[in-house]
Amino acid sequence: SSEPALHHLTSNGDIAPGWPVGGIRLCMQPGSQIPQALVPDGLGGVYAVWRDGRGAYTSPPRLLDVFGLHILADGSMAPGWITDGLPVAATTKAEEFTAAVPDGLGGLYVGWELRNPIAGDPQDAFAIHLFADGTPAPGWPAGGMPVAPTPGHQLGPLLAPDSEGGVLVLYVQAGSNSDVRIRRLTSDG
């Protein structure tokens, strides 16, 4: 099991007040945890989002999941988040992290591809809007929602915050005539 750690250093290279010398362990569960993104919370803290393989040790076994953790500027865990990370996307299918961006209001958006390689199902692009306490924003279901308005095979998504607390989503609508699409999702889904 990899045990990624988060370190906070001051501008002169010293460990920031409140932070342990060895950093803060993001997760100590079995399986691989591979950090994928760090997103500032706008208040000196940070969200860490990672690809997580702990599901391989569950019954029934899961494939890759997406987990996250919100660490405040003083090194403490933000209220609502849990030790070893909050499951952002964890199903019996494989969730492959693609993007995370701040919402400009203290929360974040996370995007991923949902895959079912065993059944050969098409991939779908998903996203979720989380508040600073880890709860989904109103209008966003727990476990996220498809970013495409129509069913099919989507790749991506890539995310960019807009100026109104929403997010721009770029994804590929795959098929015989694949094309790149952009969709704006509001903060309330």
Side-chain angles (χ1 to χ4, degrees):
S1 146
S2 62
E3 294 176 359
L6 187 63
H7 298 266
H8 183 188
L9 303 177
T10 64
S11 59
N12 63 359
D14 295 330
I15 295 169
W19 285 71
V21 173
I24 295 172
R25 298 275 180 233
L26 299 179
C27 182
M28 294 177 48
Q29 291 292 314
S32 64
Q33 287 82 34
I34 302 170
Q36 301 288 301
L38 294 176
V39 177
D41 68 3
L43 299 171
V46 66
Y47 294 94
V49 183
W50 65 88
R51 186 173 64 195
D52 196 294
R54 76 180 78 175
Y57 299 91
T58 63
S59 180
R62 295 189 319 263
L63 301 171
L64 291 174
D65 296 320
V66 177
F67 275 72
L69 193 58
H70 184 190
I71 303 295
L72 301 176
D74 65 1
S76 65
M77 189 179 336
W81 295 79
I82 59 176
T83 301
D84 292 333
L86 188 71
V88 175
T91 68
T92 57
K93 298 181 180 182
E95 291 86 14
E96 185 69 43
F97 169 83
T98 58
V101 296
D103 66 2
L105 305 169
L108 81 158
Y109 290 93
V110 179
W112 66 91
E113 289 179 3
L114 183 65
R115 303 176 182 182
N116 192 357
I118 296 169
D121 292 345
Q123 295 172 208
D124 292 306
F126 273 71
I128 193 167
H129 181 200
L130 298 174
F131 283 148
D133 65 1
T135 59
W140 290 80
M145 64 185 214
V147 299
T150 56
H153 182 77
Q154 295 94 30
L155 305 172
L158 297 179
L159 307 175
D162 70 10
S163 60
E164 300 173 10
V167 67
L168 299 172
V169 181
L170 182 139
Y171 65 95
V172 174
Q173 183 69 46
S176 58
N177 293 318
S178 295
D179 60 308
V180 176
R181 298 182 182 180
I182 298 176
R183 182 173 184 210
R184 181 179 178 271
L185 298 174
T186 61
S187 63
D188 62 0

Coordinates of all heavy atoms in Angstrom, one line a residue, residues 45-81:
G45 N -6.2 26.4 2.9 CA -6.2 24.9 2.9 C -6.2 24.3 1.5 O -6.1 25.0 0.5
V46 N -6.3 23.0 1.5 CA -6.2 22.3 0.2 C -7.1 21.1 0.2 O -7.3 20.4 1.2 CB -4.7 22.0 -0.1 CG1 -4.2 20.9 0.9 CG2 -4.6 21.5 -1.5
Y47 N -7.6 20.8 -1.0 CA -8.3 19.5 -1.2 C -7.3 18.6 -1.9 O -6.6 19.0 -2.9 CB -9.5 19.6 -2.1 CG -10.6 20.4 -1.6 CD1 -10.7 21.8 -1.8 CD2 -11.6 19.8 -0.8 CE1 -11.8 22.5 -1.3 CE2 -12.6 20.5 -0.2 CZ -12.7 21.9 -0.5 OH -13.7 22.6 0.0
A48 N -7.2 17.4 -1.5 CA -6.3 16.4 -2.2 C -7.3 15.3 -2.7 O -8.3 14.9 -2.1 CB -5.4 15.7 -1.2
V49 N -7.1 15.0 -4.0 CA -8.0 14.0 -4.7 C -7.1 13.0 -5.2 O -6.0 13.3 -5.8 CB -8.8 14.7 -5.8 CG1 -9.8 13.7 -6.4 CG2 -9.6 15.9 -5.2
W50 N -7.5 11.7 -5.0 CA -6.6 10.6 -5.5 C -7.4 9.4 -6.1 O -8.6 9.2 -5.8 CB -5.7 10.1 -4.4 CG -6.3 9.5 -3.2 CD1 -6.6 8.2 -3.0 CD2 -6.7 10.2 -2.0 NE1 -7.2 8.0 -1.8 CE2 -7.3 9.2 -1.1 CE3 -6.7 11.5 -1.6 CZ2 -7.7 9.5 0.1 CZ3 -7.1 11.8 -0.3 CH2 -7.7 10.8 0.5
R51 N -6.7 8.7 -6.9 CA -7.2 7.4 -7.4 C -6.9 6.3 -6.4 O -5.8 6.3 -5.8 CB -6.4 7.1 -8.7 CG -7.0 5.9 -9.4 CD -6.3 5.7 -10.8 NE -4.9 5.5 -10.6 CZ -4.0 5.6 -11.6 NH1 -4.4 5.9 -12.8 NH2 -2.8 5.3 -11.4
D52 N -7.9 5.5 -6.0 CA -7.8 4.7 -4.8 C -8.1 3.2 -5.2 O -9.1 2.9 -5.8 CB -8.8 5.2 -3.8 CG -8.5 4.6 -2.4 OD1 -8.6 3.4 -2.2 OD2 -8.1 5.4 -1.5
G53 N -7.2 2.3 -4.8 CA -7.4 0.9 -5.0 C -7.8 0.1 -3.9 O -7.8 -1.2 -3.9
R54 N -8.3 0.7 -2.8 CA -8.7 -0.1 -1.6 C -9.9 -1.0 -1.9 O -10.0 -2.0 -1.2 CB -9.0 0.8 -0.4 CG -10.3 1.5 -0.5 CD -10.6 2.4 0.7 NE -9.9 3.7 0.5 CZ -10.0 4.7 1.3 NH1 -10.8 4.6 2.4 NH2 -9.3 5.8 1.1
G55 N -10.7 -0.7 -2.9 CA -11.8 -1.5 -3.2 C -11.5 -3.0 -3.6 O -12.3 -3.9 -3.6
A56 N -10.3 -3.2 -4.0 CA -9.8 -4.5 -4.4 C -9.9 -5.5 -3.3 O -9.9 -6.7 -3.4 CB -8.4 -4.5 -5.1
Y57 N -9.9 -4.9 -2.0 CA -9.9 -5.7 -0.8 C -11.2 -5.9 -0.2 O -11.4 -6.3 1.0 CB -8.8 -5.2 0.2 CG -7.5 -5.2 -0.4 CD1 -7.0 -4.1 -1.1 CD2 -6.7 -6.3 -0.3 CE1 -5.7 -4.1 -1.7 CE2 -5.4 -6.3 -0.9 CZ -4.9 -5.2 -1.5 OH -3.7 -5.2 -2.1
T58 N -12.3 -5.4 -0.9 CA -13.6 -5.5 -0.3 C -14.4 -6.6 -0.9 O -14.0 -7.3 -1.9 CB -14.4 -4.2 -0.6 OG1 -14.6 -4.0 -2.0 CG2 -13.7 -3.0 0.0
S59 N -15.6 -6.9 -0.4 CA -16.4 -8.0 -0.9 C -17.8 -7.4 -1.2 O -18.4 -6.9 -0.3 CB -16.5 -9.2 0.0 OG -17.3 -10.2 -0.5
P60 N -18.3 -7.4 -2.4 CA -17.5 -7.8 -3.6 C -16.4 -6.8 -3.9 O -16.5 -5.6 -3.6 CB -18.6 -7.8 -4.7 CG -19.6 -6.8 -4.3 CD -19.6 -6.8 -2.8
P61 N -15.4 -7.2 -4.6 CA -14.3 -6.3 -4.9 C -14.7 -5.2 -5.9 O -15.6 -5.5 -6.8 CB -13.2 -7.2 -5.6 CG -13.9 -8.5 -5.9 CD -15.1 -8.6 -5.1
R62 N -14.1 -4.1 -5.7 CA -14.4 -2.9 -6.6 C -13.1 -2.7 -7.4 O -12.0 -3.1 -7.0 CB -14.8 -1.7 -5.9 CG -16.1 -1.8 -5.1 CD -16.6 -0.5 -4.6 NE -15.5 0.3 -4.0 CZ -15.3 0.4 -2.6 NH1 -15.9 -0.4 -1.8 NH2 -14.3 1.2 -2.2
L63 N -13.2 -1.9 -8.5 CA -12.1 -1.5 -9.2 C -11.6 -0.2 -8.7 O -11.8 0.1 -7.5 CB -12.4 -1.4 -10.7 CG -12.9 -2.8 -11.3 CD1 -13.5 -2.6 -12.7 CD2 -11.9 -3.8 -11.3
L64 N -11.0 0.7 -9.5 CA -10.5 2.0 -9.0 C -11.6 2.9 -8.5 O -12.7 2.9 -9.2 CB -9.7 2.7 -10.0 CG -8.4 2.0 -10.4 CD1 -7.7 2.7 -11.5 CD2 -7.4 2.0 -9.2
D65 N -11.4 3.7 -7.5 CA -12.4 4.6 -7.0 C -11.7 6.0 -6.9 O -10.5 6.1 -7.1 CB -12.9 4.3 -5.6 CG -13.7 3.0 -5.6 OD1 -14.4 2.7 -6.5 OD2 -13.5 2.2 -4.6
V66 N -12.5 7.0 -6.7 CA -11.9 8.4 -6.5 C -12.2 8.8 -5.0 O -13.4 8.7 -4.6 CB -12.5 9.4 -7.5 CG1 -12.0 10.8 -7.2 CG2 -12.2 9.0 -8.9
F67 N -11.2 9.2 -4.3 CA -11.4 9.6 -2.9 C -10.8 11.0 -2.8 O -10.0 11.5 -3.6 CB -10.7 8.7 -1.9 CG -11.5 7.5 -1.5 CD1 -11.7 6.5 -2.4 CD2 -12.0 7.4 -0.2 CE1 -12.5 5.4 -2.1 CE2 -12.7 6.3 0.1 CZ -13.0 5.3 -0.8
G68 N -11.2 11.7 -1.7 CA -10.7 13.1 -1.5 C -10.6 13.4 0.0 O -11.2 12.7 0.8
L69 N -9.9 14.4 0.3 CA -9.7 14.9 1.7 C -9.5 16.4 1.7 O -8.9 16.9 0.8 CB -8.5 14.2 2.3 CG -8.3 14.3 3.8 CD1 -9.5 13.7 4.6 CD2 -7.1 13.6 4.3
H70 N -10.1 17.1 2.6 CA -9.9 18.6 2.8 C -9.1 18.8 4.0 O -9.6 18.6 5.1 CB -11.3 19.2 2.8 CG -11.3 20.7 2.9 ND1 -12.4 21.4 3.1 CD2 -10.3 21.6 2.7 CE1 -12.1 22.7 3.1 NE2 -10.9 22.8 2.8
I71 N -7.9 19.4 3.8 CA -7.1 19.8 4.9 C -7.1 21.3 5.0 O -6.8 22.0 4.1 CB -5.6 19.2 4.7 CG1 -5.6 17.7 4.5 CG2 -4.7 19.7 5.9 CD1 -6.1 16.9 5.7
L72 N -7.3 21.8 6.3 CA -7.3 23.2 6.5 C -5.9 23.8 6.6 O -4.9 23.0 6.7 CB -8.1 23.5 7.8 CG -9.6 23.0 7.7 CD1 -10.2 23.3 9.1 CD2 -10.3 23.7 6.6
A73 N -5.8 25.1 6.6 CA -4.5 25.8 6.6 C -3.6 25.4 7.8 O -2.4 25.3 7.7 CB -4.6 27.3 6.5
D74 N -4.3 25.1 8.9 CA -3.5 24.8 10.2 C -3.2 23.3 10.2 O -2.6 22.8 11.2 CB -4.3 25.2 11.4 CG -5.6 24.4 11.6 OD1 -5.9 23.5 10.8 OD2 -6.4 24.7 12.6
G75 N -3.5 22.5 9.2 CA -3.1 21.1 9.2 C -4.2 20.2 9.7 O -4.0 19.0 9.7
S76 N -5.3 20.7 10.2 CA -6.4 19.9 10.7 C -7.3 19.5 9.5 O -7.4 20.1 8.5 CB -7.2 20.6 11.7 OG -7.9 21.7 11.2
M77 N -8.1 18.4 9.7 CA -9.0 17.9 8.8 C -10.3 18.8 8.9 O -10.7 19.1 10.0 CB -9.4 16.4 9.0 CG -10.2 15.8 7.9 SD -10.6 14.1 8.1 CE -9.4 13.5 9.2
A78 N -10.8 19.2 7.7 CA -12.0 20.0 7.7 C -13.2 19.2 8.2 O -13.3 18.0 8.0 CB -12.3 20.5 6.3
P79 N -14.1 19.9 8.9 CA -15.3 19.2 9.4 C -16.1 18.5 8.2 O -16.2 19.1 7.1 CB -16.2 20.3 10.0 CG -15.2 21.4 10.4 CD -14.1 21.3 9.3
G80 N -16.6 17.3 8.5 CA -17.3 16.6 7.5 C -16.5 15.6 6.7 O -17.1 14.6 6.1
W81 N -15.2 15.7 6.7 CA -14.3 14.8 6.0 C -13.8 13.7 6.9 O -13.8 13.9 8.1 CB -13.1 15.5 5.4 CG -13.6 16.5 4.3 CD1 -14.2 17.7 4.5 CD2 -13.6 16.3 2.9 NE1 -14.5 18.3 3.3 CE2 -14.2 17.4 2.3 CE3 -13.2 15.2 2.1 CZ2 -14.4 17.6 0.9 CZ3 -13.4 15.4 0.7 CH2 -14.0 16.5 0.1

